[in-house]
Amino acid sequence: MSKELIRLRDLTMEFDGERILDGINLYFNDHEFLTLLGPSGCGKTTTLRIIGGFLKPTSGTVTFDGKVINDVPPYKRQINTVFQRYALFPHLDVYDNIAFGLKVAKLSKDEIDRRVNEMLEIVSLKGYENRRIDNLSGGQQQRVAIARALVNRPKVLLLDEPLAALDLRLRKDMQNELKRIQQAMGITFIYVTHDQEEALSMSDTVVVMDKGRIQQIGRPEDIYNEPKNAFVADFIGESNILDGVMLADYKVRFFGRTFECVDSGFAPNEPVDVVIRPEDIDIVPPSEGHLVGTVTSVTFKGLNYDIIVEFKGFKWLIQTTDFHAAGSTIGIRLNPEDIHIMHKSDYSGMFGDYSSYSAEYDELTEDAGDEEE
């Protein structure tokens, strides 16, 4: 059974009268890899800085190991941070960068040497001890920053978009490295990112945030397969989100048809949001389809095609390994387990129609370093 390590209670944060965090309640377990995920400005970095002691919340409490630490300064918390800009000392070599905190703590030379070498082993930098920082790649600098943060043996490591500056291939490698390091060290990692794939592939628990509030907490699989509202469904992967009515348990109506589904517990005739993931849709000949539509665009994505299909004026995204030309007519069939039902929310009606879809959308990156300054 995991032990609770940190708890945030009724946390609010206001800057210049604007509410950045709006009643955050959250706990973190020992040895957990937990990711705060959300768009720029959602409050995730602010939450991280409060845990680290760099910001004081407007109201609410931060508890560590059962003790309130709101007034404890960062250097007295058993928590270290790796920032997006690694803040390494360029005039020191790798060894001295990692050893810096231990020297400040006045540990013996033998103990420093033992710990630094242990960390070099863990972050796969053995043999790089005497390298200058500016002679290292981005990924290597990242590892030095992590080693320096971990060498003091904190109970918790906070990581604020640490892979944002790396190219895609290196980022993927470092995701695996970070998970491996976390498991090898057996400490709690609290990670901030706006990259959904990163969050899903690395975390034990994902906390999805928007507008200063927690939208959903869960394991990556649950967040993806059972989103709580239209924001989560749209933010985590691609989703077709439609208006529907829950006629009864396991029966939903949308687009003028009644479909079997696997959801229950809704009020009779309750208006709902219906989520259908693009990869879950079976394309069939029009005569066999539950719905028939027209392909309006096709984008080749390597493993599959992204096709936009118009059904009754509403455009869906479908991912398929088979080519279907623009202008062709296709049918689709939906299995009960591919239809996910959500309660209506403030986000209903805002997402899920791909009439403005652009293949370039995924390439848009943001400078998350400017977030919530």
Side-chain angles (χ1 to χ4, degrees), residues 57-236:
T58 306
S59 64
T61 55
V62 182
T63 319
F64 185 95
D65 241 350
K67 297 184 182 69
V68 174
I69 58 167
N70 287 38
D71 296 323
V72 176
Y75 65 90
K76 286 194 174 167
R77 299 188 182 197
Q78 290 177 287
I79 298 171
N80 276 353
T81 307
V82 176
F83 296 101
Q84 190 177 337
R85 297 171 182 86
Y86 310 137
L88 297 169
F89 302 114
H91 61 288
L92 299 179
D93 63 15
V94 168
Y95 185 99
D96 287 334
N97 260 283
I98 297 172
F100 185 80
L102 302 177
K103 288 175 178 173
V104 170
K106 297 192 166 51
L107 267 62
S108 73
K109 192 172 181 323
D110 285 353
E111 177 66 4
I112 289 172
D113 202 52
R114 198 174 63 73
R115 285 214 206 173
V116 171
N117 281 307
E118 177 192 37
M119 284 318 309
L120 286 164
E121 194 78 56
I122 283 175
V123 300
S124 310
L125 282 177
K126 211 88 183 109
Y128 286 81
E129 295 86 330
N130 306 124
R131 287 275 186 100
R132 285 175 53 89
I133 293 301
D134 46 18
N135 290 340
L136 299 179
S137 70
Q140 289 163 341
Q141 289 184 21
Q142 160 83 56
R143 289 167 202 227
V144 176
I146 290 165
R148 189 179 66 182
L150 289 175
V151 78
N152 288 341
R153 298 182 180 160
K155 285 262 189 86
V156 179
L157 186 66
L158 308 179
L159 300 114
D160 188 6
E161 301 260 12
L163 309 185
L166 304 181
D167 66 51
L168 186 63
R169 178 66 198 273
L170 197 49
R171 219 162 62 214
K172 294 253 186 273
D173 290 347
M174 280 307 300
Q175 287 170 14
N176 295 331
E177 277 295 287
L178 280 174
K179 187 73 190 157
R180 184 187 63 73
I181 291 166
Q182 188 259 339
Q183 286 169 343
M185 296 290 288
I187 67 171
T188 302
F189 274 27
I190 303 175
Y191 194 91
V192 156
T193 185
H194 62 275
D195 184 318
Q196 305 88 323
E197 194 185 334
E198 200 162 273
L200 295 176
S201 63
M202 294 166 72
S203 320
D204 301 317
T205 305
V206 177
V207 178
V208 185
M209 296 179 67
D210 187 48
K211 296 179 181 164
R213 291 183 182 171
I214 293 171
Q215 302 296 326
Q216 188 168 354
I217 302 171
R219 296 181 315 136
E221 299 89 335
D222 299 336
I223 297 265
Y224 186 83
N225 292 323
E226 297 296 336
K228 278 276 192 312
N229 62 34
F231 172 81
V232 177
D234 182 74
F235 193 74
I236 309 288

